[in-house]
Amino acid sequence: MLDFGAMRMFPYILLCATFANEVHLPKRFLHHILLCLMLAVNLPAAMAAAPKAPAPAPETPTDNLGRETPRSAVAGLIGALAELDYDRAAQYFDVPDPTSNRQQLAVATQARTFHALLDDSGSLKPFAALSNQEAGKLDDELDPDKEDIGEVTLQDNKIPIVMTRSAEGEPKIWRISKETLSQISAAARRAPVPAAPAEHEVLVGGAPLKDWATLLGLGVAIFGGLWLLSVVLVVGTRRLLSDPAASSPFRFFEAALPPFSLLVGVFVFYNWADQLPVSIVARQTLLRYTGIVTAIAVVWFSLRLVDGIADLAITRMQRHQRRQVVSVIILVRRAVKFLLLAFSVIAILDTFGIDVTTGIAALGIGGIALALGAQKTVENLVGSVTLIADRPLQVGDFVKVGDVVGTVEDVGIRSTRIRTGERTVVTVPNGDLSARQIENYADRDRFLFNPIIAIAYSTPSAKLREAISIVQQIIAGNVNMAEGGRARLGNISDRSFNIEVFSYINVKEFDTQVIIREELLLDIYQQLEEAGIELAFPTQTVVYLSKNPEEGNDAPVMVRP
């Protein structure tokens, strides 16, 4: 049954059909016009019937103090302690909101005591070790709503500092647990509590100046001492070697020792600085930004390691004349270096508290777009990897690829160059080359010797048998012929008796087999000539009728050219 829209379209359909018939339009143009009319008529109704888009979901509320993750909660707590704002620091404790000045003073005092304990005998996990997920770490041994962030030592009793996540309300926030506060309060009653930082003391960044000097001096001593030790080791090792420049292990040792010593220094600084009775603000700040030094040391050492391995592999491949593998090694080395540098940038941005998740997702989308745009380049790169893995040809091989026959001069990352017999160079993309049939003549272990010896028709049967025997003896008597060679009368053609030879010349070099082939053919011809056996040559017998004047009639005459 037609609807109202279809009925409205009926006059337009008749008009279009009449117009197409008058101007002799092809039917396909008429079909296109009718399709456009149908869409134009039905589109408003379809849009009216389309369901409305759902209302956007309400935004999740955020916490003004940044307590959504354990990492951000610890960073906010350290910031409050650095400003000596104990009222704000108390909001990172899982305690009821104070309703009076007395309760406010109690929680502020508790925060001041907690600050003093952290400075004297407490430690918090480094910034990078804290979870930056709202749910915290789920692979630890604690409950899902608990997170271990450090410990406090009182009278040789280590009390873990645990954060809990609120079960109600939005947003869910992380705070120091009630159990931790109770254990610290109970232990503090039995031990003298160290004094809180004096407000009149010279503070830099929320920590006493002497504490900064202590930590920086420790860092200079550790890194400077390890640097001097590395210099002494390099100089001493160089003196023990007669030719240090020619020693690959020594070059790698000299290149890798500085970043390795820096990496060792970072771990030593982490362990020693965490044990010093200095301000928790100074410790956490320096340990947080020491993560940048850690990323630099890891990437620096990894770059030197990649260079050492790549140089060793390149030297071996050049020794075996595998230049195409050298190209792939160089490409892989550059790609690995790029990934290492990207890792260092991400680690540094993460240390500064910058969320890199969105950036990584954008890079992933950009990488997909780049891969789609450079599809042929990626195809050639994959083809290069396929050629390296399968090794159907090498530089110097004589090959046939499609209609191209020549010697392989270079196998690069994008293409392969083949020098033809006419001394021209044909460049074949590796993507196409890996999909083609490649015939490699250089991989032959021996050469086929398959001539056809044509014996003249005028040869008697005894001489024909003698000719076959001569060819068999020559093949069997040559030391360069493989076993199993044969010579047999294979065919009687319209011009000759054909002796077919099937044997292999048991050499690999093309030039050598050319000489052996020549000797075999000359020996066969010489012995056949000595035996009085003629070789056949192309002949043709023409028979035609000729008028014989003596007999008065036509007689056939045979003429051999």
Coordinates of all heavy atoms in Angstrom, one line a residue, residues 448-456 467 471 475 486-493 495-503 517 521 524-525 528 535-537:
L448 N 72.6 -28.6 -15.5 CA 72.1 -29.7 -16.4 C 72.8 -29.7 -17.7 O 73.0 -28.6 -18.3 CB 70.6 -29.4 -16.6 CG 69.8 -30.4 -17.5 CD1 69.8 -31.8 -17.0 CD2 68.4 -29.9 -17.8
F449 N 73.2 -30.9 -18.1 CA 73.8 -31.1 -19.5 C 72.9 -31.9 -20.3 O 72.7 -33.1 -20.1 CB 75.2 -31.8 -19.3 CG 75.9 -31.9 -20.6 CD1 76.4 -30.8 -21.3 CD2 76.1 -33.2 -21.2 CE1 77.0 -31.0 -22.6 CE2 76.8 -33.4 -22.4 CZ 77.2 -32.3 -23.1
N450 N 72.1 -31.2 -21.2 CA 71.0 -31.9 -21.9 C 71.0 -31.5 -23.4 O 70.0 -31.1 -23.9 CB 69.7 -31.4 -21.2 CG 68.5 -32.2 -21.7 OD1 67.5 -31.5 -21.9 ND2 68.6 -33.4 -22.0
P451 N 72.1 -31.8 -24.1 CA 72.1 -31.5 -25.6 C 71.4 -32.7 -26.3 O 71.2 -33.8 -25.8 CB 73.6 -31.5 -25.9 CG 74.2 -32.4 -25.0 CD 73.4 -32.3 -23.7
I452 N 71.0 -32.4 -27.5 CA 70.4 -33.4 -28.5 C 71.4 -33.5 -29.6 O 71.7 -32.6 -30.4 CB 69.1 -32.9 -28.9 CG1 68.1 -32.9 -27.8 CG2 68.5 -33.9 -30.0 CD1 66.7 -32.4 -28.2
I453 N 72.0 -34.7 -29.8 CA 72.9 -35.0 -30.8 C 72.1 -35.6 -32.0 O 71.6 -36.7 -32.0 CB 74.0 -36.0 -30.4 CG1 74.6 -35.6 -29.0 CG2 75.1 -36.2 -31.4 CD1 75.2 -34.3 -29.0
A454 N 72.1 -34.8 -33.1 CA 71.3 -35.2 -34.3 C 72.3 -35.9 -35.3 O 73.3 -35.4 -35.8 CB 70.7 -34.0 -35.0
I455 N 71.9 -37.2 -35.6 CA 72.7 -38.0 -36.5 C 71.9 -38.1 -37.9 O 70.7 -38.2 -37.9 CB 72.9 -39.5 -35.9 CG1 73.5 -39.4 -34.5 CG2 73.7 -40.3 -36.9 CD1 74.9 -38.7 -34.5
A456 N 72.7 -38.0 -38.9 CA 72.1 -38.0 -40.3 C 71.3 -39.2 -40.6 O 71.6 -40.3 -40.1 CB 73.2 -37.7 -41.3
A467 N 77.4 -44.6 -32.3 CA 77.3 -43.2 -31.9 C 76.7 -43.1 -30.5 O 77.2 -42.3 -29.7 CB 76.4 -42.4 -32.9
V471 N 78.8 -41.5 -27.1 CA 78.3 -40.4 -26.2 C 78.2 -40.9 -24.8 O 78.6 -40.2 -23.8 CB 76.9 -39.9 -26.7 CG1 76.3 -38.9 -25.8 CG2 77.0 -39.3 -28.1
I475 N 80.4 -39.3 -21.5 CA 79.7 -38.8 -20.3 C 80.2 -39.6 -19.0 O 80.5 -39.0 -18.0 CB 78.2 -38.9 -20.4 CG1 77.7 -38.0 -21.5 CG2 77.5 -38.6 -19.1 CD1 76.3 -38.1 -21.8
R486 N 72.8 -40.4 -18.7 CA 72.4 -41.3 -19.7 C 72.4 -40.7 -21.1 O 72.3 -39.4 -21.2 CB 71.1 -41.9 -19.4 CG 69.9 -40.9 -19.4 CD 68.6 -41.6 -19.0 NE 67.5 -40.6 -19.1 CZ 67.1 -39.9 -18.0 NH1 67.7 -40.0 -16.9 NH2 66.1 -39.1 -18.2
A487 N 72.5 -41.5 -22.1 CA 72.4 -41.1 -23.5 C 71.6 -42.1 -24.3 O 72.1 -43.3 -24.3 CB 73.8 -40.8 -24.1
R488 N 70.5 -41.8 -24.8 CA 69.6 -42.8 -25.5 C 69.1 -42.2 -26.8 O 69.0 -40.9 -26.9 CB 68.5 -43.2 -24.6 CG 68.9 -44.0 -23.4 CD 69.3 -45.4 -23.8 NE 69.6 -46.2 -22.6 CZ 70.8 -46.4 -22.1 NH1 71.9 -45.7 -22.6 NH2 71.0 -47.2 -21.0
L489 N 68.7 -43.0 -27.7 CA 68.0 -42.6 -28.9 C 66.6 -42.2 -28.5 O 65.7 -43.1 -28.2 CB 68.0 -43.7 -30.0 CG 67.3 -43.3 -31.3 CD1 68.0 -42.2 -32.0 CD2 67.2 -44.6 -32.2
G490 N 66.4 -40.9 -28.4 CA 65.1 -40.5 -27.9 C 64.0 -40.3 -28.9 O 62.8 -40.3 -28.6
N491 N 64.4 -40.0 -30.2 CA 63.4 -39.6 -31.1 C 64.0 -39.8 -32.6 O 65.2 -39.6 -32.8 CB 62.9 -38.2 -30.9 CG 61.8 -37.8 -31.8 OD1 61.0 -38.7 -32.2 ND2 61.6 -36.5 -32.0
I492 N 63.1 -40.1 -33.5 CA 63.4 -40.1 -34.9 C 62.6 -39.0 -35.5 O 61.4 -39.2 -35.7 CB 63.2 -41.5 -35.6 CG1 64.0 -42.6 -34.9 CG2 63.5 -41.4 -37.1 CD1 63.7 -43.9 -35.5
S493 N 63.2 -37.9 -35.8 CA 62.5 -36.8 -36.3 C 62.4 -36.8 -37.8 O 62.9 -37.8 -38.5 CB 63.2 -35.5 -35.9 OG 64.4 -35.3 -36.5
R495 N 64.1 -35.2 -39.8 CA 65.3 -34.8 -40.4 C 66.5 -35.6 -39.9 O 67.6 -35.6 -40.5 CB 65.6 -33.3 -40.2 CG 64.6 -32.4 -40.9 CD 64.9 -31.0 -40.7 NE 63.9 -30.1 -41.4 CZ 64.0 -28.8 -41.4 NH1 64.9 -28.2 -40.8 NH2 63.0 -28.1 -42.0
S496 N 66.4 -36.2 -38.7 CA 67.6 -36.9 -38.1 C 67.1 -37.9 -37.1 O 66.0 -38.0 -36.7 CB 68.5 -35.8 -37.5 OG 67.8 -35.2 -36.4
F497 N 68.2 -38.7 -36.7 CA 68.0 -39.5 -35.5 C 68.6 -38.7 -34.3 O 69.7 -38.3 -34.3 CB 68.9 -40.8 -35.6 CG 68.5 -41.7 -36.8 CD1 69.3 -41.7 -37.9 CD2 67.3 -42.4 -36.8 CE1 68.9 -42.5 -39.0 CE2 67.0 -43.2 -37.8 CZ 67.7 -43.3 -39.0
N498 N 67.8 -38.5 -33.3 CA 68.1 -37.7 -32.1 C 68.5 -38.5 -30.9 O 67.8 -39.3 -30.4 CB 66.9 -36.8 -31.7 CG 66.6 -35.8 -32.8 OD1 67.4 -35.4 -33.6 ND2 65.3 -35.4 -32.9
I499 N 69.8 -38.3 -30.5 CA 70.3 -38.9 -29.3 C 70.2 -37.9 -28.2 O 70.8 -36.8 -28.2 CB 71.8 -39.3 -29.5 CG1 71.9 -40.3 -30.6 CG2 72.3 -39.9 -28.2 CD1 73.4 -40.7 -30.9
E500 N 69.3 -38.2 -27.2 CA 69.1 -37.3 -26.1 C 70.0 -37.6 -24.9 O 70.1 -38.7 -24.5 CB 67.6 -37.3 -25.7 CG 66.7 -36.9 -26.8 CD 65.2 -36.9 -26.3 OE1 65.0 -37.4 -25.2 OE2 64.3 -36.5 -27.1
V501 N 70.7 -36.6 -24.4 CA 71.6 -36.7 -23.3 C 71.0 -36.0 -22.1 O 70.5 -34.9 -22.2 CB 73.0 -36.0 -23.6 CG1 73.9 -36.2 -22.4 CG2 73.6 -36.7 -24.9
F502 N 71.0 -36.7 -21.0 CA 70.5 -36.1 -19.7 C 71.5 -36.5 -18.6 O 71.6 -37.6 -18.2 CB 69.1 -36.7 -19.4 CG 68.5 -36.0 -18.2 CD1 67.7 -34.9 -18.4 CD2 68.7 -36.4 -16.9 CE1 67.1 -34.3 -17.4 CE2 68.1 -35.8 -15.8 CZ 67.3 -34.7 -16.1
S503 N 72.2 -35.4 -18.2 CA 73.2 -35.6 -17.1 C 73.5 -34.3 -16.5 O 73.0 -33.2 -16.9 CB 74.5 -36.1 -17.7 OG 75.5 -36.3 -16.7
R517 N 81.3 -27.9 -20.3 CA 80.3 -28.2 -21.4 C 81.0 -28.1 -22.7 O 80.7 -28.9 -23.6 CB 79.2 -27.1 -21.3 CG 78.0 -27.3 -22.2 CD 77.0 -26.2 -22.1 NE 76.5 -26.2 -20.8 CZ 75.4 -26.8 -20.4 NH1 74.7 -27.6 -21.3 NH2 74.9 -26.7 -19.2
L521 N 81.2 -31.3 -25.6 CA 80.7 -31.2 -26.9 C 81.8 -31.4 -27.9 O 81.6 -32.1 -29.0 CB 80.0 -29.8 -27.1 CG 78.8 -29.6 -26.3 CD1 78.2 -28.2 -26.5 CD2 77.7 -30.6 -26.6
I524 N 82.6 -35.1 -28.1 CA 81.6 -35.9 -28.8 C 81.8 -35.7 -30.3 O 81.7 -36.7 -31.1 CB 80.2 -35.5 -28.3 CG1 80.0 -35.9 -26.9 CG2 79.1 -36.0 -29.2 CD1 78.7 -35.4 -26.3
Y525 N 82.0 -34.5 -30.7 CA 82.1 -34.2 -32.2 C 83.4 -34.9 -32.7 O 83.4 -35.5 -33.8 CB 82.1 -32.7 -32.4 CG 82.3 -32.4 -33.9 CD1 81.3 -32.6 -34.8 CD2 83.5 -31.9 -34.4 CE1 81.4 -32.3 -36.1 CE2 83.7 -31.6 -35.7 CZ 82.7 -31.8 -36.6 OH 82.8 -31.5 -37.9
L528 N 82.9 -38.8 -33.0 CA 81.9 -39.1 -34.0 C 82.6 -38.9 -35.4 O 82.4 -39.7 -36.3 CB 80.7 -38.3 -33.9 CG 79.8 -38.6 -32.7 CD1 78.6 -37.6 -32.7 CD2 79.2 -40.0 -32.7
L535 N 77.0 -35.7 -38.5 CA 75.9 -35.0 -37.8 C 74.9 -34.5 -38.8 O 75.3 -34.1 -39.9 CB 76.4 -33.9 -37.0 CG 77.4 -34.3 -35.8 CD1 77.9 -33.0 -35.1 CD2 76.7 -35.2 -34.8
A536 N 73.7 -34.5 -38.5 CA 72.6 -34.0 -39.4 C 72.6 -32.5 -39.4 O 73.0 -31.9 -38.4 CB 71.3 -34.6 -38.9
F537 N 72.2 -32.0 -40.5 CA 72.0 -30.6 -40.6 C 70.6 -30.4 -41.2 O 70.1 -31.3 -41.9 CB 73.1 -29.9 -41.4 CG 73.3 -30.4 -42.7 CD1 72.7 -29.9 -43.8 CD2 74.2 -31.5 -42.9 CE1 72.9 -30.5 -45.1 CE2 74.4 -32.0 -44.2 CZ 73.7 -31.5 -45.3

